[in-house]
Structures are given as structure tokens and as C-alpha cells.
Amino acid sequence: MREYGQILSAIWRDREFRKMPTDPQWLYLALVTQPDISSCGVLTLAERRWAGYAEDQTPGKIGGALIVLESARFVVLDQATGELLVRSFIKHDKGYRNKKRVPAIVAAIRAVDSEHLLDVIAQEMAILDMPDDVRECLLDALSPG
């Protein structure tokens, strides 16, 4: 379980983030600071739990905020597996830069059920500047079996 979540102050310079209403922004910040977010940025969908974090939230409002976040590509959902990916989590968390954290990322990738989310993780890793041995290790985790 994570004890803190890193939020880069540069998020307030992100035009796409600033275009969104308050609820999706609030939800995004809530998602990246969840104690159960995996090392690759995956969470189990839990709209009711997240709605309980603020008095004026409801599962319906959370669902609407998720739609906005997904359309802006901040998150990717797989309703069939009940999983949510914070798309740029690996990039911003930078765990891949720490060789001691790489095994945790590998284990997190292997725990993902959604093929769709695994495809998105692979696309995101392809654009990151990381050592070849780390890239190979993470890409190997994406391979079936």
C-alpha cells in the first residue's frame, strides 16, 4: 500500500487538465493518491468508495467525472474487468528509474487483467526514455505467459 502519491505541480500548466470542470480534476487527484493504486497506475473501479471522500459527491457524479477523464485521455477504463488505468502514471511516478522499484512495476503489470489496459501501458512505455534493460524487463511483463 502506498503512503503518499506524487502530484507534479506542472499539472496546473496542462491545458487539457485546466479545461476540465472541478469534479474530474478532483477525481484525478483522488485517483493518483489512492493507497491501492498499483505501481503501473491501475485501480479497481470503486465509484461508491470514491464518492464517499467528499460530502457533495455521488457515484453518479463520479461516473460522469470518469467519462470526462477518459475522453481527455487522463484515464482508461475497462468496464469488463472493472479496472482503471491512470494513463501517464508510470511516466510521472518515475519508478522505472529506480532499479529496486522495477520488480514492483513488473508484478503490477502482470496483475492487470485487461488486455486493453496492457496495450495502453505498452504504448506509454514506448515513449518513455528508460534504460534498455528496464524496458526489456517491463515489456517482458506485458508478454503472455
Side-chain angles (χ1 to χ4, degrees):
M1 286 288 222
R2 297 171 69 90
E3 293 188 18
Y4 71 93
Q6 180 173 286
I7 299 171
L8 300 177
S9 60
I11 198 160
W12 301 111
R13 291 190 302 273
D14 184 318
R15 291 183 199 278
E16 294 304 310
F17 188 78
R18 290 174 58 181
K19 281 184 197 176
M20 291 188 298
T22 303
D23 282 348
Q25 288 181 349
W26 173 88
L27 182 58
Y28 181 81
L29 298 175
L31 295 174
V32 298
T33 57
Q34 289 300 293
D36 59 335
I37 193 166
S38 77
S39 294
C40 68
V42 173
L43 288 160
T44 299
L45 285 171
E47 293 97 325
R48 288 185 188 279
R49 176 169 38 112
W50 301 330
Y53 293 159
E55 191 171 305
D56 65 340
Q57 284 295 340
T58 66
K61 287 174 72 174
I62 295 294
L66 285 172
I67 291 169
V68 173
L69 286 170
E70 186 170 36
S71 67
R73 299 214 47 208
F74 282 89
V75 302
V76 181
L77 303 176
D78 188 327
Q79 294 290 346
T81 63
E83 294 171 303
L84 173 150
L85 169 68
V86 176
R87 186 184 52 79
S88 62
F89 186 85
I90 291 175
K91 173 184 175 182
H92 294 302
D93 187 57
K94 296 181 175 69
Y96 63 89
R97 292 183 178 177
N98 180 339
K99 297 247 184 199
K100 292 180 181 178
R101 295 261 332 271
V102 171
I105 299 170
V106 167
I109 290 170
R110 288 189 173 142
V112 176
D113 286 327
S114 170
E115 292 295 325
H116 177 56
L117 297 189
L118 290 171
D119 289 344
V120 175
I121 291 169
Q123 292 167 17
E124 290 299 309
M125 286 189 335
I127 61 174
L128 293 176
D129 181 25
M130 64 176 68
D132 289 339
D133 61 331
V134 172
R135 183 179 313 281
E136 287 175 28
C137 184
L138 295 178
L139 289 174
D140 184 53
L142 289 161
S143 301

